[in-house]
Amino acid sequence: MMITIANEILAVQISPKGAELQGIQRKDNQLEYLWSGDAAFWGKKSPVLFPIVGGLKNNQYRFEGKTYELGRHGFARDREFEVAEQTPHSATFILTDDADTLQRYPFPFTLGIRYEVHDATLSVKYTVQNTGERAMYFSVGAHPAFRVPLAEGTDYSDYHLHFNNTENAGLWPLSPEGQIQDQPVAFFDNTQELPLTKELFYKDALVFKHIASNSISIRSDKTPHGLELRFPGFPYMGIWAAKDADFVCIEPWCGIADAVNASGELQEKEGIIELAPEGIFQREWSAIFF
């Protein structure tokens, strides 16, 4: 079952499996903005990252003296969500804990994801509620993959990322196992633009901490079409594409992969969010399509 929300400008499709975006089209220019999900490169389109972002050392963490196994980016992206509410312009998806999640993640929770279209904007709101009797520890993040090249007659290298503030942030390299190295390397040098090339991602994702910008656009001098992704309140950012694939992921994160020197204790994990019993955490990102 595919859920569609739409208005006079946008049509958006979402699958209850993983509450994952499956398509984003503008009706006037008939462009598809989301990656096709070609499994020869990467079979996902916009997975939801919860209750961790990135990978753990040895895919394990410890909490209250017990060791748990949890794969990269957590389990939400592979779970069936309940469609809790649907209108012509919005849809809300809900995931709650069950016997399977509690084996891997010992916290009762409700994760809500609300998609809404307004004019040429799609907004995506995450709501995490702690339904247990002790503090819970989690991360949440986005992983949308956008088509590049977008317009007919353009190439991948015709596009660039535009940051809404001047950037001087360093890049945090990933180890072969997917952990964050302990020192950044120089990357941005007083610029707002990052030219896109396939080679940019040959060594895995570009990971940044606390960049100056809270908006990144995909633009080209050869077409007026592109998009702007806004992500206030997300302290970490990943930019990634599968090798030689025609997309780029812009990934706002509240959380980050384990560092190479991480202790493995969940409460000590960098970027982990602590939520009190009955507490509610919300973050929202949005994308404007042009």
Side-chain angles (χ1 to χ4, degrees):
M1 177 181 67
M2 193 71 69
I3 302 298
T4 297
I5 59 175
N7 59 15
E8 66 280 1
I9 300 174
L10 291 180
V12 175
Q13 297 81 38
I14 311 119
S15 170
K17 184 177 181 184
E20 184 175 358
L21 284 165
Q22 296 296 309
I24 304 167
Q25 307 88 34
R26 265 194 75 122
K27 294 180 178 179
D28 54 356
N29 62 30
Q30 297 186 317
L31 285 177
E32 172 61 66
Y33 289 82
L34 202 65
W35 158 245
S36 67
D38 182 350
F41 296 92
W42 185 58
K44 299 279 189 181
K45 297 186 178 187
S46 182
V48 173
L49 316 183
F50 176 89
I52 59 167
V53 168
L56 302 167
K57 285 175 72 173
N58 302 314
N59 291 320
Q60 294 179 335
Y61 67 90
R62 290 188 302 278
F63 180 71
E64 294 186 342
K66 186 175 177 182
T67 298
Y68 296 87
E69 301 260 345
L70 198 54
R72 179 176 291 207
H73 295 320
F75 50 70
R77 60 183 182 162
D78 298 317
R79 301 297 302 235
E80 198 75 23
F81 281 65
E82 173 193 349
V83 183
E85 181 188 15
Q86 186 179 1
T87 75
H89 301 149
S90 69
T92 301
F93 299 82
I94 298 289
L95 180 69
T96 56
D97 60 279
D98 60 22
D100 178 61
T101 69
L102 290 168
Q103 282 191 333
R104 295 182 279 167
Y105 179 70
F107 303 100
F109 69 88
T110 299
L111 169 63
I113 305 172
R114 185 174 194 269
Y115 294 93
E116 183 174 7
V117 291
H118 178 74
D119 295 333
T121 300
L122 168 67
S123 63
V124 183
K125 179 185 276 189
Y126 305 124
T127 300
V128 180
Q129 183 169 10
N130 180 357
T131 58
E133 297 179 350
R134 61 182 175 188
M136 68 177 279
Y137 298 86
F138 72 94
S139 299
V140 65
H143 201 314
F146 300 108
R147 280 182 60 223
V148 178
L150 189 60
E152 197 170 333
T154 60
D155 295 320
Y156 197 90
S157 58
D158 292 332
Y159 292 78
H160 62 272
L161 300 184
H162 177 82
F163 294 73
N164 69 320
N165 285 313
T166 301
E167 295 295 343
N168 285 287
L171 172 74
W172 290 84
L174 291 164
S175 74
E177 295 75 35
Q179 270 65 74
I180 306 293
Q181 302 282 15
D182 55 5
Q183 292 294 327
V185 297
F187 191 81
F188 289 116
D189 184 12
N190 218 40
T191 184
Q192 288 182 262
E193 299 204 345
L194 176 61
L196 287 177
T197 67
K198 298 288 182 67
E199 293 78 14
L200 194 58
F201 307 108
Y202 281 3
K203 294 182 179 179
D204 209 338
L206 311 179
V207 176
F208 304 97
K209 302 179 182 183
H210 308 288
I211 59 174
S213 299
N214 59 16
S215 163
I216 298 174
S217 302
I218 300 176
R219 301 181 182 177
S220 171
D221 296 333
K222 295 189 176 181
T223 174
H225 302 300
L227 63 95
E228 178 188 357
L229 192 113
R230 297 177 176 177
F231 48 93
F234 288 81
Y236 304 99
M237 170 56 62
I239 300 171
W240 176 77
K243 186 174 182 180
D244 292 328
D246 285 337
F247 70 83
V248 63
C249 290
I250 302 173
E251 307 177 37
W253 299 333
C254 290
I256 194 168
D258 270 358
V260 291
N261 56 359
S263 71
E265 295 289 341
L266 186 63
Q267 289 153 282
E268 298 174 0
K269 182 172 169 55
E270 180 180 358
I272 203 75
I273 299 159
E274 180 180 347
L275 191 60
E278 300 181 11
I280 293 175
F281 171 94
Q282 291 185 316
R283 283 295 184 276
E284 182 173 336
W285 61 270
S286 61
I288 305 163
F289 302 92
F290 48 85

